[in-house]
């Protein structure tokens, strides 16, 4: 039997390499007891920035990295753009590199991890893979700075409470994703483990946090002691 596999999903305007740095202490904790698969998002935020300028829209920042989708605001309506590319990529990765035991995600990657866990657990009308995917539901989620997507058509996803074990890290002073948004995502799960820390929008590197992560992962990864 091979090592447990964890799919790792980075935040908006970041990349797999940046997420490796953000999660370095967790990687050190896991060591060679599991295989971590860091995935690059399919949306080039740099190219998107130029496209948005061509449309006469002013981007919020000089983003140069990758994402899983972007938002388009039309009046009071918010749309997710590019999510189709992400679902195409995930379908391929799940079939060719899976099965994955768990998912670790930060910010937009954490949001995607929740959507993916729901989709693998129960078919959704508003979000689908482009083809049949036989991957089983994941066994656990490790999330930091998670939030729910805003478009109304996706809200039904969060009505189904998941029994998937989940760890939710959230900063009390997060000015990017308000902690209440992360708390609402934790409430989607039946028995979430929540770690609230004194900090902002990042994965904490403290000994206290690592102990929480270690205790959470121990039942799923042989070789990690609680």
């Amino acid at each position: 039997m091979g090592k447990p596999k964890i799919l790792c999903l980075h935040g908006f305007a970041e990349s797999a390499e940046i997420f490796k740095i953000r999660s370095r202490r967790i990687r050190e904790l896991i060591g060679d007891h599991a295989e971590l698969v860091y995935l690059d998002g399919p949306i080039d935020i740099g190219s998107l920035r130029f496209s948005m300028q061509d449309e006469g829209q002013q981007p919020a920042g000089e983003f140069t990295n990758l994402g899983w989708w972007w938002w388009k605001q039309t009046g009071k309506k918010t749309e997710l753009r590019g999510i189709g590319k992400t679902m195409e990529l995930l379908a391929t990765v799940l079939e060719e590199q899976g099965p994955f035991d768990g998912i670790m995600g930060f910010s937009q990657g954490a949001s995607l991890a929740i959507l993916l866990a729901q989709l693998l657990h129960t078919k959704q009308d508003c979000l689908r893979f482009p083809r049949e995917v036989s991957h089983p539901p994941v066994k656990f989620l490790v999330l930091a700075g998670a939030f729910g997507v805003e478009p109304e058509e996706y809200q039904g996803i969060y009505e189904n409470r998941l029994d998937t074990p989940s760890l939710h890290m959230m900063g009390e002073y997060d000015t990017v994703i308000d902690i209440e948004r992360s708390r609402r995502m934790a409430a989607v799960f039946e028995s979430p483990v929540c770690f609230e820390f004194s900090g902002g929008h990042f994965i904490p590197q403290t000994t206290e946090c690592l102990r929480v992560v270690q205790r959470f992962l121990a039942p799923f990864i042989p070789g990690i002691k609680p």
Side-chain angles (χ1 to χ4, degrees):
M1 192 175 191
K3 299 177 185 177
K5 270 189 175 183
I6 302 175
L7 181 62
C8 304
L9 306 174
H10 62 77
F12 184 74
E14 297 191 348
S15 66
E17 286 303 314
I18 292 176
F19 193 26
K20 286 180 182 178
I21 296 171
R22 281 192 179 278
S23 60
R24 62 189 180 278
R25 294 295 301 277
I26 295 177
R27 286 194 293 116
E28 292 169 1
L29 171 67
I30 293 173
D32 61 359
H33 298 302
E35 180 181 352
L36 303 180
V37 178
Y38 285 82
L39 193 62
D40 274 326
I43 310 298
D44 184 340
I45 305 303
S47 297
L48 171 61
R49 172 166 55 87
F50 292 112
S51 174
M52 290 171 67
Q53 288 174 332
D54 291 343
E55 293 178 11
Q57 299 182 41
Q58 183 61 38
E62 294 294 306
F63 300 126
T64 56
N65 284 292
L66 307 170
W68 305 104
W69 62 78
W70 75 95
W71 302 263
K72 182 175 178 62
Q73 192 77 29
T74 305
K76 294 183 178 180
K77 184 178 181 181
T78 302
E79 299 178 49
L80 295 191
R81 296 293 185 90
I83 188 71
K85 285 186 177 182
T86 290
M87 299 313 294
E88 175 69 37
L89 173 63
L90 288 175
T92 299
V93 171
L94 291 173
E95 288 295 289
E96 295 183 358
Q97 299 186 48
F100 293 94
D101 295 80
I103 308 174
M104 177 168 65
F106 170 69
S107 194
Q108 191 185 59
S111 178
L112 177 59
I114 296 171
L115 295 177
L116 181 55
Q118 286 278 22
L119 190 56
L120 291 174
H121 191 274
T122 307
K123 287 186 178 181
Q124 305 290 330
D125 292 333
C126 61
L127 187 65
R128 300 180 181 181
F129 292 114
R131 56 187 175 277
E132 188 67 26
V133 171
S134 59
H135 195 287
V138 293
K139 300 174 183 176
F140 64 90
L141 297 172
V142 177
L143 310 171
F147 60 91
V149 296
E150 295 181 1
E152 185 176 347
E153 61 265 32
Y154 293 94
Q155 298 313 302
I157 292 178
Y158 304 119
E159 294 175 1
N160 302 314
R161 286 172 62 86
L162 277 173
D163 59 2
T164 306
S166 59
L167 171 60
H168 304 256
M169 293 173 275
M170 54 192 89
E172 295 174 0
Y173 306 111
D174 192 333
T175 57
V176 178
I177 302 299
D178 187 85
I179 193 170
E180 286 300 328
R181 297 181 70 187
S182 293
R183 286 170 178 161
R184 285 197 293 272
M185 285 301 95
V188 171
F189 296 83
E190 290 187 0
S191 301
V193 176
C194 296
F195 178 73
E196 298 187 10
F197 61 94
S198 180
H201 196 60
F202 56 82
I203 299 175
Q205 309 291 316
T206 62
T207 300
E208 181 186 10
C209 175
L210 290 174
R211 285 174 181 162
V212 172
V213 174
Q214 183 174 349
R215 286 195 299 269
F216 177 79
L217 290 177
F220 309 107
I221 302 179
I224 293 184
K225 298 179 180 179

